[in-house]
């Protein structure tokens, strides 16, 4: 049986990216080009040993297909313990057919199974690295959001170190006991990718969105502080009143700007025909025909 198409694509590429930014190296042979190692071993054997090989390979292949399905779903698995259990189950199936004989073929089957497990390990390691990058970015953005500003260098380094340790633990769970000494061949590159992310988090889409949000909030706070208090402004004005003869039955008043647009003055013009009415309270009982009075408007704003 052939592995799922999505997992084939994962195994075929030489680099996988996170959000078009972080390259994740992946060196795995394409299963479309080469059958699994255990399948090749079982296909070439004959006789009782051949039957035993095929029995063991079929037992292992069912688990291998499940692991490939997990790769398709980008789902991490505890490959280390699963691989050990599956290897022992496949060898038990081999022994049930071959008994005590065919020890050379048994060792060949075991080596082929472990080779296939290491291929699955490579795929799962890439998933672990991608998850580490996503988790670190999420933690950085969350902490920046809570702070309402950029993080200090030490804060970013602390988050980086925590995520590196989580990644290392994930990789250890992927390795069977017989491969624990091998370690993680991509650990240095993974730590470099995580370090680049924490140093340049402000340049990501989430980081730039947060910076815009902070700037908008800063301007809003500044405007709010300026909006409270008392402000006083002075505007020039001119009052003009024309008082022709009459008894006051005609009254017209108008108001508008006077002067250049950059520095206008407020002009009030009034016409009232009360010139024939004596004003006993004034020194001159007859009011003047034209009165002109400069003035100043005082604008007081309370906010």
């Amino acid at each position: 049986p052939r592995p799922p198409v999505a997992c084939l694509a994962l195994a075929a590429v030489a680099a996988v990216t996170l959000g078009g930014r972080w390259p994740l190296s992946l060196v795995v042979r394409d299963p479309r080009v080469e059958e699994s190692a255990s399948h090749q071993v079982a296909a070439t054997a004959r006789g009782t040993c051949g039957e035993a090989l095929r029995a063991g390979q079929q037992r292992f292949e069912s688990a291998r297909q499940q692991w490939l399905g997990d790769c398709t779903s980008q789902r991490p698995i505890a490959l280390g313990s699963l691989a050990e259990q599956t290897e022992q189950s496949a060898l038990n199936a081999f022994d049930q057919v071959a008994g005590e004989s065919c020890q050379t073929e048994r060792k060949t089957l075991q080596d082929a199974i472990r080779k296939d497990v290491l291929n699955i390990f490579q795929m799962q390691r890439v998933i672990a690295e991608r998850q580490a990058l996503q988790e670190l970015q999420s933690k950085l953005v969350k902490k920046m959001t809570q702070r309402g500003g950029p993080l200090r260098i030490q804060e970013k380094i602390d988050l980086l170190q925590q995520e590196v340790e989580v990644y290392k633990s994930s990789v250890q769970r992927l390795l069977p006991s017989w491969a624990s000494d091998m370690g993680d061949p991509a650990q240095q590159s993974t730590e470099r990718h995580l370090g680049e992310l924490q140093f340049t988090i402000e340049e990501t889409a989430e980081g730039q969105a947060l910076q815009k949000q902070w700037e908008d909030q800063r301007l809003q706070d500044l405007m709010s502080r300026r909006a409270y208090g008392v402000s006083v402004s002075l505007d020039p004005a001119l009052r003009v009143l024309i008082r022709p003869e009459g008894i006051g039955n005609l009254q017209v008043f108008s108001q508008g700007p006077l002067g250049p647009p950059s520095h206008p003055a407020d002009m009030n013009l009034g016409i009232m025909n009360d010139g024939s009415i004596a004003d006993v309270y004034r020194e001159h009982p007859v009011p003047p025909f034209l009165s002109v009075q400069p003035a100043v408007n005082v604008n007081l704003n309370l906010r």
Side-chain angles (χ1 to χ4, degrees):
R2 296 287 185 180
V5 174
C7 202
L8 292 175
L10 175 64
V13 297
V16 182
T17 60
L18 174 65
R21 186 175 181 83
W22 309 110
L24 306 184
S25 300
L26 177 61
V27 182
V28 182
R29 292 183 179 180
D30 189 344
R32 294 173 296 183
V33 178
E34 183 180 35
E35 296 287 353
S36 68
S38 58
H39 183 274
Q40 288 183 334
V41 168
T44 57
R46 298 290 183 270
T48 302
C49 293
E51 293 179 6
L53 283 170
R54 283 185 287 275
Q57 189 273 334
Q58 289 173 1
R59 182 75 59 85
F60 171 74
E61 184 63 20
S62 62
R64 176 176 172 271
Q65 288 298 317
Q66 177 62 47
W67 298 339
L68 289 174
D70 293 328
C71 293
T72 302
S73 304
Q74 297 293 294
R75 183 168 54 245
I77 58 176
L79 181 63
S81 58
L82 290 174
E84 292 180 1
Q85 296 171 8
T86 304
E87 177 185 317
Q88 188 58 51
S89 177
L91 294 178
N92 290 341
F94 178 94
D95 293 338
Q96 289 176 1
V97 177
E100 297 295 328
S101 60
C102 305
Q103 291 303 303
T104 301
E105 287 77 4
R106 189 179 191 275
K107 182 64 168 61
T108 301
L109 174 63
Q110 185 181 48
D111 291 343
I113 287 174
R114 292 185 175 184
K115 182 179 179 181
D116 289 337
V117 168
L118 290 179
N119 284 341
I120 300 294
F121 163 78
Q122 292 281 10
M123 301 177 191
Q124 283 289 310
R125 191 212 65 78
V126 171
I127 295 174
E129 180 172 349
R130 180 182 292 120
Q131 287 189 332
L133 285 167
Q134 292 173 339
E135 188 66 21
L136 177 59
Q137 180 167 333
S138 176
K139 289 180 179 179
L140 288 168
V141 170
K142 181 179 179 180
K143 202 169 185 67
M144 290 165 64
T145 303
Q146 293 174 343
R147 172 180 285 271
L151 300 180
R152 294 189 294 268
I153 294 179
Q154 188 58 50
E155 290 178 306
K156 295 165 70 175
I157 291 178
D158 290 343
L159 291 175
L160 169 64
Q161 292 175 342
Q162 293 173 13
E163 202 55 44
V164 167
E165 292 304 316
V166 172
Y167 167 77
K168 289 180 179 179
S169 299
S170 299
V171 172
Q172 284 299 317
R173 289 193 294 270
L174 294 176
L175 289 170
S177 59
W178 48 264
S180 58
D181 294 338
M182 181 185 73
D184 180 10
Q187 179 174 325
Q188 290 185 352
S189 66
T190 300
E191 292 183 6
R192 184 175 67 254
H193 297 154
L194 290 168
E196 291 172 356
L197 174 59
Q198 65 93 8
F199 273 120
T200 59
I201 185 63
E202 292 83 3
E203 300 175 12
T204 63
E206 292 85 351
Q208 292 177 353
L210 280 177
Q211 291 185 75
K212 185 179 184 304
Q213 178 181 334
W214 298 333
E215 181 63 19
D216 293 344
Q217 185 63 44
R218 187 187 69 83
L219 294 176
Q220 183 177 351
D221 292 343
L222 181 61
M223 294 299 295
S224 297
R225 287 195 297 269
R226 291 180 176 179
Y228 294 99
V230 179
S231 65
V232 179
S233 63
L234 302 178
D235 295 330
L238 184 65
R239 309 282 188 263
V240 178
L241 180 61
I242 300 175
R243 305 176 73 176
E245 293 182 357
I247 59 175
N249 59 342
L250 174 64
Q251 298 181 14
V252 178
F253 295 93
S254 177
Q255 181 179 5
L258 176 66
S262 58
H263 298 86
D266 187 30
M267 179 178 178
N268 294 88
L269 175 63
I271 300 175
M272 186 168 60
N273 65 336
D274 63 345
S276 301
I277 302 177
D279 187 352
V280 297
Y281 296 101
R282 295 176 59 89
E283 182 180 354
H284 302 284
V286 179
F289 176 77
L290 176 65
S291 298
V292 178
Q293 182 184 41
V296 175
N297 290 333
V298 179
N299 301 315
L300 178 63
N301 293 322
L302 299 177
R303 294 190 292 263

